[in-house]
Amino acid sequence: MATAQDLSEHGPEVLLGSPAMSAKRASVRRFIFLATFSIISVAGILLFADFMWRTAMTEIKWIILVLYAILFTHISLGFCNALFGFMSLRGNRSVGRINASIPADSDTPLAATAILFPVYNEDVSRVFAGVRATYEALRKTGQHEHFDLFILSDSTNPDRWVEEEVAWLRLCKDLNALDRIHYRRRIKNVDKKSGNVRDFLETWGARYRYMIVFDADSLMTGPTLVRLVQLMQANPGVGLIQTAPGLIGADTFYGRLQQFASRFYGRVFTSGLNYWQQSEGNYWGHNAIIRIEPFIEHCELPELPYKEPIGGKILSHDFVEAALMRRAGYAVWLVDDLEDSYEEGPPNLIDSAVRDRRWCQGNLQHSWLLFSGQLHAVNRVHFFNGIMGYAGSLFWFLFLVFSTLSVVRFERSGLTLFVSEGFTRPLGLSLAEHGTLLLAFTAVILFTPKILAWLDAVWDKQRRVRFGGFFRVTGSVLLETVTSALLAPLLMAFHSRFLVEVLLGRKSGWNAQNRDAGEGTPWVDALRAHWGQMVLGLIWSGIAWHYSTTFFWWLSPVSFALVLSPVISKITSSPHIGRSLRRHRLLQTPEEHQQPTIWSTCCREEAHLRDMLEKGPMQGAALALADPYINSLHYTLLEQNPAGAPIEAPPAELVERALSEGWDELSKDEKISLLLHPPTLRRLHHELWHRSARTLADSWRERLYAYPATNPQQLLGFV
Amino acid sequence: MELPVDLVSPVVAAGGKVDEQADYTAWDEAYRRVEAYFSALRIRNKLLLSTLVHRVLQRAAERQQEGEVGEPIELAMDQANREVTQWFVEILGLDEADRTDPALRGRLALLLADMPRQWQHEFLTDPPWPEPFMQAMRQSFLQAGPDFHLSQMEARPLELGPIPTFTGQALRDLDARPHLRNILMLLVVIGAAFLIFYLTR
């Protein structure tokens, strides 16, 4: 295989991966982007600084100015991304895009590719429905012989573990794909997801040229998967191509808001990102294709100085892997114009916050890498932007706190406001007009991306129709804007807390992501999660009201949202509202307008699999002990598991307890220890079926005797 | 599905213990267990199921009559296990030297050969068996993943730069001096309180 070094000798075009753009032209693009970003940022900051100065600069106003500068710079970056993305979408789409490097109907031959599904206590029905839909989609392309699928389990829940095995075998049997779809569970979850992928690479990785990394809820259509491999084949200097996954399958109000935002606004942002980052793109951890050889060679994560959660093992591995791939000389691309790459999002604000807690810790760890001269500057911009995703919330919070303190100080001083002239003197603006101008300018920077996305849809008839038509698109944008404004202070409070927790050394757990809407967040959970925000909002409103009613109303969009946080959280979690909006075709996405086949296959299979796993004679890990087939399956997989150290036999009294007291009486760890040891597993199966009723727990007897009465269709598909 | 107990009773009666209520209940329990076991093997054909259960119980009762010790449930399940294992040995062509557990190998082969759907009527029958069934049973083999192709991932050194290096060292030093760390933390809190006080004057 050619190395990046070899390829660079052929000129920058090859290394960039797109013959349509030279490195020089890419530099010009970056310069233009940076210049625009700088001009806008400086203009906004100066306007604000001048506003501060007109009423005399004090220490507290310096702090406010610095915080505003940081926040404004951050939103300017989003504005520029959207602006350049919008212009790029209206321009020549074949320039500067990896997807344009080969013709749309290219017949580039494929190479061995592994599709990875790392899972951790996920919903088994959903995961395997996704695997099935992916495999069937690949089969339809006729190119499926180039792909192997791997379910890489790190599940620690014994029920999930055994259900995964059952679902895997059933899937392989149904699709006649035992040699194509593989399952492996790690005994120890060393280094979480990155360790899981590394384990695959060290055992099987060298068999394949590429890997496509999925999340447990990822989906990609067959043609998209094939196209990704072709793009890699045609561009040997490219190490990684990231797709821009859109959210799909949301049911709740919150979920559909996020889904609409990702699909509707995402296009201008990703197009803008691609405009300036070009071959120095980023990796978002899933829905991406990776060249395995350089990944093995160069992308093992370094250990950070200091201990977790601030240092230690890198939690958010993706950004770092992209930077390491780039350091090795390989290009990293975002393919923003390749559709049909999907993922699911959290159904409510609380689940979203749980996920953010983990990402917050991971992104903050990237601070250690910001100053490394060995990494590309664009990768460091990605790190900085990721950190600001959370630190920005804390800065916003502090900006509001210091603004409050400033008001308190002024009101307590009893002085009259003395307004001097600023550099806006030629405009003859009063302080109120200056404030209005400042507010308007900030609003333009903040809301223009949404307006540009709206224009992008309005001008494109096909896109407009797919999002519900002109009026519904407009209504959806307004609804999303108002609701996200209500949600923003809540996210600010969550993120600020997470950031402080991480800095104080509190680690994040590793939770499976929840995608099930249920009946929405219960009131008690909403109150438990938001009571702090509610109290903060009440105290803050009280202080503001006490010192200045004007300031109270200025602060009200934030403080009212905080006071009402449990209500907002509860309402947005509602699947009823979500469905009602769908009926009225508000917040509609193209996938709701016309359901992709891969998604309908996934939904159908998920329902089918859930039915079988939940309505059989028994569920979960008990199957591995009692069911003759699952017992053999589990035993065989244990024997084939590439575990290092020998497994210790569980104590005899535990085996006896499992039989005489019943499976449900054991703890999770006790169950795992029984499920891990092959001879014990064999013995338990034998004893369960051979023991007399007197020495066997009632629960076991009932489970065994349920077999003759069970509907054949519910015998895990093995009828 | 359950079979009426009187179908088995004549068999048990041959042992001469049918009038004892306890024994009668125990054989009923044995009957239900064997039936459940074959059902767990996905034998869904009622006629086949009842025939197999009947046959196993009859042989278990004979063994008890011959003086073998054990509760009916144990004898019946042991008999079922023997018959199934012996059948696996024959159909899979296993020999004594083969260290694989015939029951484990056989059960998986049954499933992969799709016995419950396609070959149910062949279960526990005597040879000759249909060639496709035998082939399917003997070729059924479960492989969770392809053969290993081992490689090693090792982190390459990454120079972080002076600021992170110094910060990392300073944090480690502070950890080594917990009192100093606590004093610094206290100073930060006092400093923040003072700042708020000062800024609101």
Side-chain angles (χ1 to χ4, degrees):
Chain A
M1 186 185 288
T3 64
Q5 198 66 41
D6 302 333
L7 292 162
S8 63
E9 286 163 15
H10 294 99
E13 285 82 2
V14 180
L15 188 61
L16 278 167
S18 168
M21 168 149 311
S22 68
K24 193 178 170 188
R25 197 168 166 193
S27 298
V28 171
R29 276 189 170 199
R30 272 185 203 153
F31 175 78
I32 295 170
F33 183 88
L34 196 65
T36 313
F37 165 67
S38 304
I39 290 166
I40 289 169
S41 300
V42 168
I45 295 164
L46 280 180
L47 200 60
F48 186 77
D50 194 42
F51 184 74
M52 294 271 106
W53 245 286
R54 291 186 69 181
T55 53
M57 203 62 183
T58 57
E59 304 91 334
I60 201 164
K61 285 186 178 173
W62 272 108
I63 297 172
I64 293 169
L65 176 60
V66 169
L67 290 167
Y68 181 86
I70 296 168
L71 291 168
F72 193 81
T73 308
H74 190 222
I75 60 167
S76 297
L77 188 63
F79 168 84
C80 289
N81 270 331
L83 182 68
F84 281 87
F86 179 77
M87 291 192 304
S88 187
L89 285 166
R90 308 258 82 75
N92 184 355
R93 296 279 287 157
S94 65
V95 178
R97 283 186 162 77
I98 186 70
N99 200 18
S101 62
I102 51 172
D105 56 352
S106 167
D107 56 356
T108 309
L110 307 188
T113 304
I115 302 179
L116 313 186
F117 293 85
V119 294
Y120 175 76
N121 296 333
E122 312 277 349
D123 177 356
V124 177
S125 308
R126 171 61 187 85
V127 171
F128 283 84
V131 177
R132 183 186 191 118
T134 305
Y135 187 78
E136 287 190 352
L138 275 172
R139 213 158 50 176
K140 276 186 202 156
T141 65
Q143 306 261 35
H144 61 290
E145 72 272 15
H146 298 287
F147 295 86
D148 279 355
L149 281 66
F150 286 84
I151 297 116
L152 305 172
S153 173
D154 256 354
S155 297
T156 51
N157 179 324
D159 293 331
R160 293 294 89 77
W161 175 13
V162 174
E163 283 172 2
E164 284 165 10
E165 293 175 341
V166 173
W168 168 71
L169 186 64
R170 183 187 160 272
L171 188 65
C172 290
K173 251 186 106 259
D174 272 11
L175 300 172
N176 192 22
L178 259 173
D179 57 341
R180 284 270 167 250
I181 305 175
H182 309 290
Y183 176 83
R184 179 280 275 134
R185 176 187 175 268
R186 282 201 304 170
I187 288 173
K188 287 193 177 148
N189 313 130
V190 181
D191 295 344
K192 300 174 183 167
K193 186 176 170 183
S194 61
N196 196 359
V197 173
R198 182 180 60 227
D199 184 88
F200 162 80
L201 290 169
E202 290 187 337
T203 48
W204 290 306
R207 295 175 64 95
Y208 302 92
R209 190 177 293 177
Y210 310 114
M211 63 174 175
I212 297 175
V213 183
F214 273 31
D215 230 354
D217 57 6
S218 296
L219 277 179
M220 263 196 248
T221 59
T224 301
L225 290 164
V226 169
R227 181 75 178 171
L228 283 176
V229 180
Q230 285 176 335
L231 287 172
M232 289 298 257
Q233 288 279 81
N235 299 285
V238 174
L240 191 153
I241 303 175
Q242 172 70 59
T243 65
L247 296 181
I248 196 170
D251 219 15
T252 60
F253 183 19
Y254 183 86
R256 296 192 70 246
L257 274 170
Q258 302 302 313
Q259 183 174 277
F260 175 78
S262 88
R263 292 295 277 122
F264 192 76
Y265 308 131
R267 190 161 99 131
V268 288
F269 280 112
T270 53
S271 180
L273 271 178
N274 185 68
Y275 176 86
W276 62 270
Q277 69 184 17
Q278 292 288 296
S279 59
E280 276 81 39
N282 203 358
Y283 173 37
W284 300 335
H286 56 90
N287 292 37
I289 186 166
I290 298 173
R291 193 176 297 276
I292 284 181
E293 193 180 298
F295 193 86
I296 290 178
E297 190 71 17
H298 300 281
C299 296
E300 173 59 356
L301 300 172
E303 188 100 6
L304 296 174
Y306 202 53
K307 62 190 179 190
E308 282 183 66
I310 298 167
K313 284 281 173 194
I314 294 175
L315 192 66
S316 288
H317 53 94
D318 37 19
F319 284 33
V320 185
E321 285 161 350
L324 294 175
M325 184 66 95
R326 194 65 201 86
R327 181 177 74 157
Y330 284 85
V332 176
W333 277 90
L334 169 67
V335 59
D336 66 301
D337 53 347
L338 199 58
E339 292 204 333
D340 306 328
S341 172
Y342 307 108
E343 62 172 326
E344 287 179 67
N348 57 56
L349 181 61
I350 297 173
D351 284 321
S352 184
V354 170
R355 186 187 66 176
D356 282 356
R357 172 67 180 83
R358 204 171 58 241
W359 286 0
C360 175
Q361 181 179 327
N363 285 13
L364 281 186
Q365 285 182 323
H366 296 160
S367 316
W368 294 102
L369 308 171
L370 275 178
F371 304 100
S372 170
Q374 294 177 323
L375 300 179
H376 197 284
V378 173
N379 290 118
R380 286 185 275 157
V381 171
H382 291 143
F383 290 140
F384 180 74
N385 206 29
I387 295 164
M388 278 302 290
Y390 297 94
S393 287
L394 184 64
F395 289 134
W396 184 27
F397 177 71
L398 290 174
F399 174 79
L400 292 173
V401 168
F402 281 106
S403 300
T404 310
L405 288 177
S406 177
V407 170
V408 169
R409 186 186 203 192
F410 177 75
E411 295 297 332
R412 279 163 58 98
S413 72
L415 297 171
T416 309
L417 195 66
F418 178 76
V419 181
S420 64
E421 294 281 9
F423 70 75
T424 47
R425 186 189 306 189
L427 300 173
L429 296 174
S430 68
L431 190 68
E433 286 165 343
H434 191 156
T436 309
L437 178 67
L438 182 65
L439 191 69
F441 189 63
T442 310
V444 165
I445 299 301
L446 210 54
F447 294 110
T448 296
K450 289 180 194 280
I451 295 165
L452 290 175
W454 176 78
L455 285 173
D456 183 42
V458 169
W459 280 351
D460 181 339
K461 189 187 171 193
Q462 205 187 355
R463 188 168 168 80
R464 191 172 68 228
V465 170
R466 291 168 83 201
F467 280 95
F470 177 81
F471 291 106
R472 288 195 181 87
V473 163
T474 309
S476 299
V477 170
L478 290 173
L479 178 64
E480 192 281 333
T481 304
V482 170
T483 320
S484 63
L486 283 171
L487 288 166
L490 278 53
L491 286 169
M492 172 194 76
F494 272 131
H495 293 172
S496 303
R497 197 186 92 197
F498 297 158
L499 202 106
V500 172
E501 279 176 358
V502 173
L503 292 176
L504 291 176
R506 234 180 102 181
K507 278 188 203 175
S508 146
W510 188 27
N511 303 317
Q513 207 166 307
N514 180 27
R515 281 125 185 151
D516 183 17
E519 285 305 302
T521 306
W523 277 110
V524 65
D525 288 353
L527 285 167
R528 197 180 294 140
H530 295 283
W531 71 267
Q533 296 172 3
M534 213 166 58
V535 172
L536 176 71
L538 283 169
I539 294 173
W540 211 343
S541 302
I543 292 170
W545 181 261
H546 179 74
Y547 285 102
S548 163
T549 46
T550 312
F551 183 68
F552 170 84
W553 289 113
W554 271 103
L555 191 68
S556 62
V558 173
S559 56
F560 283 13
L562 289 172
V563 173
L564 294 172
S565 53
V567 182
I568 295 169
S569 187
K570 171 75 184 168
I571 290 173
T572 53
S573 74
S574 165
H576 302 295
I577 299 176
R579 284 184 213 123
S580 168
L581 289 168
R582 182 186 290 159
R583 274 196 301 279
H584 292 93
R585 294 174 57 203
L586 280 168
L587 301 176
Q588 177 175 291
T589 57
E591 290 72 32
E592 288 179 343
H593 172 67
Q594 191 171 22
Q595 200 172 58
T597 311
I598 195 164
W599 178 244
S600 46
T601 308
C602 181
C603 293
R604 197 172 50 247
E605 174 66 6
E606 183 183 350
H608 189 49
L609 199 52
R610 196 180 304 285
D611 202 43
M612 287 195 304
L613 288 171
E614 289 178 2
K615 293 184 182 164
M618 64 188 87
Q619 287 81 41
L623 284 163
L625 274 59
D627 190 283
Y629 293 129
I630 311 307
N631 179 260
S632 296
L633 166 68
H634 188 74
Y635 182 94
T636 308
L637 291 180
L638 280 181
E639 293 262 285
Q640 290 182 9
N641 207 340
I647 303 297
E648 214 173 291
E653 64 182 54
L654 178 60
V655 178
E656 184 53 38
R657 273 184 53 216
L659 293 164
S660 59
E661 291 180 20
W663 186 242
D664 304 330
E665 302 306 312
L666 307 187
S667 69
K668 189 182 105 177
D669 289 343
E670 287 172 334
K671 287 177 182 175
I672 292 271
S673 73
L674 292 173
L675 288 170
L676 269 177
H677 190 242
T680 302
L681 200 73
R682 194 156 55 165
R683 185 183 152 205
L684 276 168
H685 177 71
H686 184 271
E687 294 278 328
L688 272 178
W689 283 102
H690 287 71
R691 275 200 178 195
S692 71
R694 283 183 292 109
T695 54
L696 203 58
D698 289 345
S699 56
W700 276 126
R701 280 212 316 280
E702 283 160 18
R703 281 168 165 159
L704 300 183
Y705 292 155
Y707 272 103
T710 306
N711 182 333
Q713 298 308 316
Q714 286 160 353
L715 284 169
L716 305 164
F718 306 130
V719 184
Chain B
M1 186 203 90
E2 283 186 39
L3 284 170
V5 176
D6 58 337
L7 267 180
V8 184
S9 296
V11 181
V12 182
K17 292 182 181 177
V18 76
D19 30 84
E20 289 179 28
Q21 185 58 38
D23 208 34
Y24 191 84
T25 309
W27 277 105
D28 178 50
E29 187 78 19
Y31 173 93
R32 293 179 65 196
R33 185 69 65 86
V34 175
E35 186 197 27
Y37 184 66
F38 286 139
S39 297
L41 285 168
R42 279 49 167 186
I43 304 299
R44 313 299 300 175
N45 183 295
K46 292 187 180 185
L47 181 62
L48 176 65
L49 184 62
S50 61
T51 309
L52 291 175
V53 175
H54 193 266
R55 191 173 88 193
V56 165
L57 287 188
Q58 189 160 17
R59 288 181 187 165
E62 283 165 11
R63 279 169 60 184
Q64 193 187 49
Q65 216 180 352
E66 287 159 11
E68 203 163 323
V69 182
E71 291 192 37
I73 210 167
E74 292 165 349
L75 286 172
M77 277 307 297
D78 186 62
Q79 180 60 36
N81 202 36
R82 274 189 201 184
E83 292 195 21
V84 171
T85 306
Q86 185 54 38
W87 186 72
F88 283 148
V89 169
E90 287 176 32
I91 200 162
L92 294 172
L94 301 176
D95 56 35
E96 294 289 319
D98 199 327
R99 290 170 58 199
T100 322
D101 180 348
L104 283 164
R105 164 98 166 78
R107 289 200 302 255
L108 215 43
L110 273 186
L111 187 62
L112 294 174
D114 210 10
M115 179 283 286
R117 214 184 304 260
Q118 292 189 49
W119 306 102
Q120 192 156 141
H121 52 283
E122 298 294 341
F123 183 65
L124 285 189
T125 56
D126 294 329
W129 300 288
E131 193 58 31
F133 176 50
M134 273 180 59
Q135 268 190 10
M137 283 291 285
R138 289 179 184 183
Q139 286 171 1
S140 293
F141 188 71
L142 187 74
Q143 184 84 35
D147 294 337
F148 290 163
H149 196 134
L150 298 178
S151 52
Q152 190 72 35
M153 277 186 86
E154 277 173 24
R156 291 172 176 245
L158 179 64
E159 184 57 52
L160 296 174
I163 299 170
T165 308
F166 171 76
T167 311
Q169 189 56 49
L171 287 170
R172 282 194 298 274
D173 288 348
L174 275 180
D175 275 354
R177 297 176 183 82
H179 294 307
L180 181 62
R181 189 189 57 197
N182 293 340
I183 289 168
L184 279 175
M185 287 283 280
L186 194 66
L187 285 175
V188 168
V189 173
I190 292 170
F194 175 76
L195 186 69
I196 292 169
F197 177 80
Y198 175 74
L199 292 176
T200 49
R201 292 306 96 192

